Amino acid sequence: MSKEVIIIGGGIIGLCSAYYLQKEGHQVTIIDKSDISYGASFVNAGYITPSHFIPLAAPGMITKGIKWMMDSSSPFYVKPRLNIDFLKWFWAFKKSATKSKVEKAIPVIRDINLLGRDLFEELKASNDFDFHYERKGLLMCYQTDKAGEEEWKVGQLGIEQGLNVDHISKEDVKKLEPNIDLNIKGAVYYDCDAHTTPSEFMNGMVNYLISNGVNFHLNEEVEDISLIDYKVAEVRTNKQLIKADEVVLAAGSWSPLLTKKLGVKIPIEAGKGYSINLNRHTDIQMPSILVEAKVAVTPMNGFTRFAGTMEFGGINHDIEQTE
Ligand SMILES: Cc1cc2nc3c(=O)[nH]c(=O)nc-3n(C[C@H](O)[C@H](O)[C@H](O)COP(=O)(O)OP(=O)(O)OC[C@H]3O[C@@H](n4cnc5c(N)ncnc54)[C@H](O)[C@@H]3O)c2cc1C
């Protein structure tokens, strides 16, 4: 039966939800407070990563987080804050960062990541819209033996999880990156990974959805969701009231602000990242993470993107300036 579905948020999750719901025959409306031309779903590193199967909440992360707390230029920066929701999230993060919880989470994250990659390949093969997608793998490049050993331990865990992972020398990396001077010792190579150019994917998807009857309400903010008999009935925006049979909440970091109004508390904290594009030709062929610097390098369609830092500092658009 066809339903009126409202999707709150037009990031990658909202758009992809709309894509599958529209194909199932539902009437879909996407509401976004922005004009959906920027934000995390546009500026990310474009990695589709079965390689990233270890949750962030892992043993050792709390110690690293505390060490890096005072340094806003560190790759994992937690801004100290006396905010009750943040403190509750931090406590939940700490409780999750145990060996047994990580062991349970790994196969689940692996399966979600592999399914995500397979769906990208299905979308590409469908020719519904065109976007840049390549399956070249990901290099975890390291400069020190210590980092190499740690990275290879993760790689071996990946092999145990059925992924195709290799420990390769600088000379073998050179074969993959023949035109680049390499200041590395070696790399762990995840053959299973892929990458895309996010803005191409997002713009292509928006155009496909518009031409297939999905409604967009842009620059319109959802302020409340009302329930009748525990079922979503209406969405109130800053412009109007809209009736809905079903609502998909895909508001990214802002999601807890809306669930709070329904009395549902979900422990999500915004993680801010930074990226810059280099538009001149770089000759870089391979997506690579520079392990020590925690910088992601992605050869996108027509430019190279450098991305880094995970910063937990609340929801804002402040930019931490460093020397
Ligand atoms: C620098 C950087 C690099 C990254 N690299 C990678 C990577 O390589 N691979 C990877 O998988 N992930 C990466 N990520 C993470 C990834 O980009 C995000 O997880 C993803 O884009 C989140 O998508 P989303 O749809 O959930 O949220 P968003 O893209 O944030 O979309 C949420 C939307 O909801 C809208 N919204 C919020 N509240 C309301 C409201 N009340 N009413 C109406 N609209 C609302 C917002 O305007 C926004 O458009 C990276 C992120 C960054 C910043």
Side-chain angles (χ1 to χ4, degrees):
M1 195 182 76
S2 173
K3 289 187 172 182
E4 298 278 344
V5 183
I6 289 184
I7 298 179
I8 306 172
I12 192 163
I13 301 296
L15 297 188
C16 290
S17 305
Y19 176 86
Y20 294 106
L21 287 163
Q22 184 274 331
K23 279 205 184 279
E24 281 179 16
H26 302 294
Q27 278 302 312
V28 181
T29 300
I30 295 178
I31 307 175
D32 201 295
K33 65 187 170 117
S34 77
D35 66 357
I36 54 167
S37 63
Y38 59 89
S41 295
F42 289 82
V43 302
N44 64 66
Y47 292 162
I48 297 152
T49 45
S51 61
H52 283 44
F53 53 81
I54 298 186
L56 191 62
M61 282 312 281
I62 296 289
T63 322
K64 278 187 189 161
I66 290 169
K67 195 175 96 195
W68 284 332
M69 221 172 223
M70 299 305 151
D71 177 8
S72 62
S73 66
S74 63
F76 177 62
Y77 173 52
V78 184
K79 196 174 191 167
R81 275 177 296 148
L82 278 176
N83 168 294
I84 192 77
D85 288 335
F86 171 70
L87 294 173
K88 279 186 183 162
W89 171 85
F90 189 78
W91 183 244
F93 186 99
K94 189 176 177 311
K95 276 203 308 191
S96 301
T98 65
K99 191 170 175 282
S100 68
K101 290 202 171 154
V102 168
E103 277 168 5
K104 265 194 198 155
I106 284 175
V108 180
I109 298 174
R110 174 207 57 196
D111 287 351
I112 292 172
N113 289 351
L114 286 170
L115 177 64
R117 186 200 63 193
D118 292 349
L119 290 174
F120 264 99
E121 295 193 348
E122 234 177 76
L123 274 167
K124 181 74 184 164
S126 74
N127 285 324
D128 279 344
F129 60 97
D130 194 26
F131 61 97
H132 166 229
Y133 173 89
E134 283 182 87
R135 174 100 173 256
K136 280 185 166 176
L138 176 71
L139 290 169
M140 303 294 292
C141 297
Y142 58 85
Q143 290 183 312
T144 61
D145 290 331
K146 187 169 176 284
E149 277 160 28
E150 274 179 29
E151 221 34 67
W152 182 228
K153 269 190 210 154
V154 180
Q156 284 169 310
L157 214 56
I159 295 171
E160 279 170 32
Q161 294 297 319
L163 303 177
N164 211 357
V165 194
D166 213 349
H167 197 178
I168 64 175
S169 64
K170 180 178 175 177
E171 289 66 40
D172 285 335
V173 176
K174 191 78 195 158
K175 287 180 197 150
L176 296 165
E177 282 289 13
N179 303 320
I180 302 294
D181 280 340
L182 297 170
N183 180 15
I184 59 167
K185 279 209 155 167
V188 175
Y189 178 37
Y190 288 85
D191 170 58
C192 44
D193 283 20
H195 72 286
T196 180
T197 301
S199 53
E200 265 187 26
F201 180 88
M202 294 293 289
N203 294 331
M205 179 64 109
V206 168
N207 290 336
Y208 170 86
L209 294 174
I210 290 172
S211 55
N212 283 276
V214 170
N215 298 311
F216 280 82
H217 292 226
L218 301 184
N219 302 305
E220 187 166 337
E221 181 163 359
V222 173
E223 293 178 336
D224 210 350
I225 303 168
S226 57
L227 303 179
I228 295 176
D229 293 336
Y230 299 103
K231 214 180 160 321
V232 168
E234 267 173 353
V235 165
R236 178 167 57 78
T237 74
N238 55 345
K239 296 187 180 163
Q240 57 191 314
L241 269 176
I242 312 177
K243 287 202 183 311
D245 297 319
E246 305 282 348
V247 168
V248 175
L249 182 58
S253 307
W254 295 269
S255 299
L257 304 178
L258 286 168
T259 59
K260 222 175 191 179
K261 300 193 181 210
L262 300 170
V264 179
K265 288 184 185 162
I266 45 172
I268 289 181
E269 268 295 309
K272 191 188 290 166
Y274 294 76
S275 66
I276 53 167
N277 299 336
L278 197 58
N279 289 315
R280 77 175 161 77
H281 189 68
T282 60
D283 261 343
I284 294 172
Q285 308 284 327
M286 291 292 298
S288 305
I289 291 183
L290 312 179
V291 169
E292 284 90 348
K294 301 242 180 318
V295 169
V297 185
T298 319
M300 294 195 176
N301 198 8
F303 61 95
T304 308
R305 178 165 289 170
F306 296 83
T309 296
M310 174 65 103
E311 186 183 300
F312 291 99
I315 300 185
N316 57 63
H317 289 106
D318 302 346
I319 293 179
E320 290 285 339
Q321 305 274 359
T322 52
E323 295 293 308

